[in-house]
Amino acid sequence: MKVRVQNIIAYILLTLLGIVMVYPLLWLVASSFKTNQEIFATIGLIPKKWVLDSYAQGWKGSGQYTYTTFFLNTFMLVVPTVIASIVSSVSVAYGFARFKFPFKKVLFALVIATLMLPNAIIIIPKYILFKNFGWLNTYLTFWIPALFATYSFFIFMLVQFLRGIPRELDESAIIDGCNSFTILIRILIPLAKPALFSVGIFQFIWRWNDFFNVLVYINSVSKFPLALALRMSIDITDVVAWNRLMAMSVLTMVPPILIFFFAQKYFVEGIATTGLKG
Amino acid sequence: MIILLNKSKRRGSHQMNIDVALKSQKAASKTKAVRKKYQYVAFLYIAPWLIGLFVFQLYPFIASFIYSFTDFTMLKKPSFVGLKNYIDLFTKDQLFLQSLKITFIYVIIAVPLKLAFALFIAMILNIKLRFVNFFRTVYYMPSILGGSVAVAVLWRFLFMREGLVNKVTSIFHIPAVDWLGNPKIALYTISLLTVWQFGSSMVLFLAGLKNIPSELYEAARVDGASKPRMFVTITLPLLTPIVFFNLIMQMVHAFQEFTGAFVVTNGGPAKATYLYGLMLYQNGFQFFKMGYASAQSWILFAIIMLMTMLVFKSSEYWTFYEDGGDF
């Protein structure tokens, strides 16, 4: 009886707080279907008068570029960065997890230390460096650092994961004639798939949402990713078309949320299968 | 190797067994020998990171320190100016102390509130309930969108004078508040945006709560301990390592907050939300005072290091590790 009362209170609290948490997001979606007058007139979600063209109108953008450009730009920026991060991080993590080499401890301590290195400290010299390389206003500023495994968090994550895979597998692979590279490709990468997916998902969501770095490195509108396009729209359209701006905000949120829902299932599977083995 | 094995198969199973046994013995002794020595091939695998570390992390780190003693503007050749940038920041630049002050206020409000919420919700979600996954998703949702512009745009709409928040409060006859226009309130409005995104801290707390052995609670119940007492004597002490981790990560993050302040209020009104990250961005990339901004970034670095060290040092007194801490 006591437990039941406790559970009921928990449900009520969770629901009420949950509504407060997601109502803003729902309101944003609903507003994209309302007229501009109605958006700020009521707090209800269902539009009195449905506006169906705010997505089509918003997509046209405010200048000479449409959201097709901005979406493609974002994918051009994010997808190679994600792939480069996965490839470089797994190689480095393999080096740390499976080999003995001089200064290993010191170097791994550096991995951990760079985890806490604030971006704000290194951004100015990085900007000047990229300017000297001629990379400014290109996505190389994102691709190349990812290729050189500058996201220590992923190295750390993968090292932890690889340590969990028994070394006996490597040893039996050596007997079968594998060298260290084929062990990585044939044995460890297939087993580490869930962890590699996690790296990819994290990196996708982070790069997709990133605003500060694109603001610093990218400056021509034709190369703007969504974050900059939205920010440009909010400055230009300080007048009427709220619903169009909201519609485009909704669209930019869709890919990370989709990835999250896909990932949740994947994470659960990953945990379940490793749980069975352990 | 596989081909060799096939050959041996043809030679009869007995011979094959010996072959395999011999080979595996050889291989085993070979791996042993290799294991004792250094395996320099590892440098091939970590080479990308090593290069990245020097070019994109260590070099910029040192360079920003050196720039901070120059008048680097990208227009002319930088020259050494000693401590001028640092002295100017503290003595001439009135915005500097202002932005430092509000950044501290921001961190002190946003970080503890965020962690408190995260822990509170994690504790409720830790009760065995149906639909827990659904609720977890709901609470995590705002965090997926992180520091995205879309969320900042949303925040701007929600807290406008005629925005949703004032509409809701008017139902309860609470007079409208100028959330973003009033210098006394705007900073809190921005802080709320951070607090709203407590999902990742919540997930860590949830994992920590699941690791607490239920026997501890059962024993406490037998002893007649009350719920609040169990929280203070069992839950909180065992969670302190995670509190510690969350505190450090969120603090480092909060000191650099940028998107919210830039998109929602652009530092206004009357510089009330002119956070340190925003000032750094403007000095460096709008006014191109690179040397000056570098000095500013090193002051930020010193502050973050100092705060982290304080938390580390103090943690000896309040974190609890099962393998015996300083208790």
Side-chain angles (χ1 to χ4, degrees):
Chain A
M1 197 60 207
K2 213 179 159 194
V3 170
R4 197 180 275 173
V5 172
Q6 185 206 317
N7 283 5
I8 290 169
I9 295 172
Y11 278 124
I12 292 172
L13 259 178
L14 281 180
T15 312
L16 286 179
L17 285 171
I19 290 171
V20 175
M21 288 289 289
V22 285
Y23 200 87
L25 292 173
L26 296 176
W27 179 78
L28 181 72
V29 178
S31 299
S32 66
F33 292 105
K34 290 175 182 170
T35 61
N36 282 314
Q37 291 77 15
E38 202 194 333
I39 288 174
F40 296 111
T42 59
I43 63 164
L45 290 180
I46 316 274
K48 279 196 201 96
K49 193 178 157 227
W50 286 80
V51 177
L52 297 172
D53 72 341
S54 48
Y55 282 83
Q57 293 298 323
W59 191 270
K60 286 181 189 160
S62 34
Q64 56 187 127
Y65 299 99
T66 68
Y67 270 76
T68 312
T69 311
F70 301 136
F71 262 91
L72 286 178
N73 286 346
T74 311
F75 278 108
M76 276 300 288
L77 192 162
V78 171
V79 173
T81 308
V82 168
I83 294 169
S85 302
I86 295 176
V87 171
S88 63
S89 305
V90 77
S91 162
V92 176
Y94 178 55
F96 277 113
R98 284 296 201 257
F99 298 92
K100 243 177 113 178
F101 53 89
F103 308 115
K104 181 170 161 176
K105 275 207 172 137
V106 182
L107 291 174
F108 197 64
L110 270 172
V111 173
I112 307 291
T114 49
L115 253 179
M116 285 192 46
L117 181 66
N119 188 34
I121 312 300
I122 54 175
I123 189 93
I124 288 169
K126 260 167 83 181
Y127 177 86
I128 295 163
L129 191 70
F130 292 159
K131 184 183 154 57
N132 292 339
F133 288 163
W135 292 352
L136 283 188
N137 203 25
T138 72
Y139 305 139
L140 288 174
T141 48
F142 297 88
W143 297 342
I144 305 292
L147 204 58
F148 287 102
T150 47
Y151 296 92
S152 332
F153 177 71
F154 300 138
I155 300 176
F156 180 66
M157 218 171 104
L158 290 175
V159 165
Q160 295 300 95
F161 192 89
L162 288 178
R163 277 181 182 159
I165 299 176
R167 271 170 183 272
E168 285 77 27
L169 285 172
D170 301 26
E171 275 154 23
S172 59
I174 292 174
I175 296 166
D176 286 342
C178 283
N179 59 32
S180 68
F181 184 69
T182 43
I183 290 174
L184 175 65
I185 299 293
R186 292 209 199 140
I187 315 274
L188 294 177
I189 286 181
L191 286 171
K193 249 188 210 160
L196 297 179
F197 260 91
S198 307
V199 170
I201 289 156
F202 272 122
Q203 184 68 318
F204 183 92
I205 293 176
W206 288 348
R207 287 312 113 216
W208 189 276
N209 289 332
D210 175 34
F211 176 62
F212 185 68
N213 290 299
V214 290
L215 182 70
V216 168
Y217 296 134
I218 307 295
N219 54 41
S220 62
V221 180
S222 65
K223 286 181 180 164
F224 270 14
L226 288 162
L228 294 178
L230 268 186
R231 144 91 198 163
M232 182 177 67
S233 311
I234 197 176
D235 277 356
I236 296 169
T237 29
D238 247 4
V239 253
V240 246
W242 304 115
N243 51 10
R244 291 178 199 170
L245 187 53
M246 292 195 175
M248 290 308 104
S249 300
V250 170
L251 286 186
T252 65
M253 290 179 177
V254 169
I257 288 179
L258 273 184
I259 288 261
F260 174 74
F261 275 103
F262 160 74
Q264 230 204 0
K265 190 175 149 247
Y266 201 91
F267 281 143
V268 171
E269 274 172 18
I271 292 161
T273 46
T274 49
L276 276 176
K277 274 177 201 154
Chain B
M1 197 66 173
I2 293 160
I3 299 162
L4 279 177
L5 276 175
N6 282 342
K7 262 187 199 160
S8 63
K9 233 181 214 165
R10 266 178 257 139
R11 260 186 274 152
S13 68
H14 181 68
Q15 182 63 36
M16 186 194 86
N17 281 345
I18 293 171
D19 262 18
V20 171
L22 272 175
K23 246 162 224 158
S24 65
Q25 210 175 12
K26 238 188 228 164
S29 62
K30 200 170 139 197
T31 47
K32 235 183 212 167
V34 170
R35 261 217 214 160
K36 269 184 202 149
K37 287 187 298 175
Y38 284 138
Q39 296 150 294
Y40 291 97
V41 65
F43 283 107
L44 230 84
Y45 293 105
I46 68 164
W49 171 76
L50 269 178
I51 296 166
L53 175 75
F54 281 105
V55 180
F56 300 123
Q57 288 171 316
L58 283 184
Y59 162 74
F61 182 67
I62 295 160
S64 89
F65 187 66
I66 295 167
Y67 290 160
S68 76
F69 300 105
T70 65
D71 59 357
F72 203 168
T73 55
M74 296 190 67
L75 295 173
K76 56 179 174 43
K77 250 187 144 198
S79 63
F80 186 75
V81 294
L83 287 170
K84 186 175 180 296
N85 290 329
Y86 291 92
I87 293 167
D88 283 358
L89 275 168
F90 280 104
T91 55
K92 285 191 187 148
D93 198 333
Q94 275 151 2
L95 281 174
F96 172 74
L97 287 178
Q98 153 79 0
S99 105
L100 202 57
K101 193 183 100 194
I102 62 159
T103 306
F104 265 101
I105 298 174
Y106 170 81
V107 172
I108 289 165
I109 298 167
V111 175
L113 256 183
K114 187 175 188 167
L115 295 192
F117 260 113
L119 179 58
F120 179 64
I121 300 293
M123 295 213 27
I124 303 179
L125 287 177
N126 196 35
I127 303 171
K128 283 191 178 57
L129 295 171
R130 282 188 197 189
F131 314 117
V132 157
N133 276 337
F134 169 75
F135 283 117
R136 203 182 301 164
T137 310
V138 164
Y139 286 104
Y140 197 76
M141 192 94 100
S143 307
I144 306 166
L145 305 166
S148 70
V149 173
V151 163
V153 169
L154 170 64
W155 222 246
R156 196 154 138 172
F157 285 138
L158 286 178
F159 288 95
M160 290 195 330
R161 230 177 218 295
E162 49 306 4
L164 179 72
V165 176
N166 278 339
K167 282 273 150 28
V168 172
T169 52
S170 73
I171 297 173
F172 305 102
H173 301 288
I174 299 167
V177 174
D178 194 2
W179 297 97
L180 298 170
N182 185 338
K184 282 187 184 141
I185 301 170
L187 186 63
Y188 302 96
T189 312
I190 301 285
S191 311
L192 268 184
L193 174 56
T194 314
V195 178
W196 185 53
Q197 301 172 327
F198 61 71
S200 57
S201 307
M202 177 194 78
V203 170
L204 287 171
F205 277 134
L206 204 53
L209 287 170
K210 294 228 184 290
N211 275 336
I212 299 177
S214 56
E215 295 87 47
L216 287 178
Y217 292 108
E218 275 153 33
R221 210 167 292 139
V222 171
D223 289 346
S226 64
K227 280 256 151 108
R229 169 127 197 135
M230 282 196 239
F231 177 73
V232 172
T233 53
I234 301 173
T235 315
L236 214 49
L238 288 177
L239 273 185
T240 45
I242 295 169
V243 174
F244 172 70
F245 179 79
N246 271 337
L247 183 62
I248 299 240
M249 291 321 267
Q250 295 300 336
M251 216 175 61
V252 173
H253 205 76
F255 268 113
Q256 302 179 75
E257 169 59 30
F258 175 77
T259 310
F262 185 65
V263 178
V264 183
T265 52
N266 200 8
K271 301 285 177 194
T273 59
Y274 197 54
L275 290 180
Y276 204 87
L278 192 51
M279 187 183 175
L280 193 71
Y281 168 77
Q282 288 201 331
N283 277 335
F285 301 104
Q286 282 183 349
F287 312 140
F288 289 102
K289 297 198 282 189
M290 299 286 194
Y292 196 64
S294 295
Q296 221 196 320
S297 80
W298 266 80
I299 294 169
L300 179 68
F301 183 66
I303 291 171
I304 290 177
M305 279 297 111
L306 198 74
M307 297 295 283
T308 312
M309 257 158 53
L310 276 178
V311 176
F312 256 99
K313 280 276 166 214
S314 75
S315 75
E316 287 170 17
Y317 301 99
W318 59 265
T319 55
F320 174 83
Y321 292 95
E322 272 171 288
D323 48 2
D326 278 13
F327 275 86

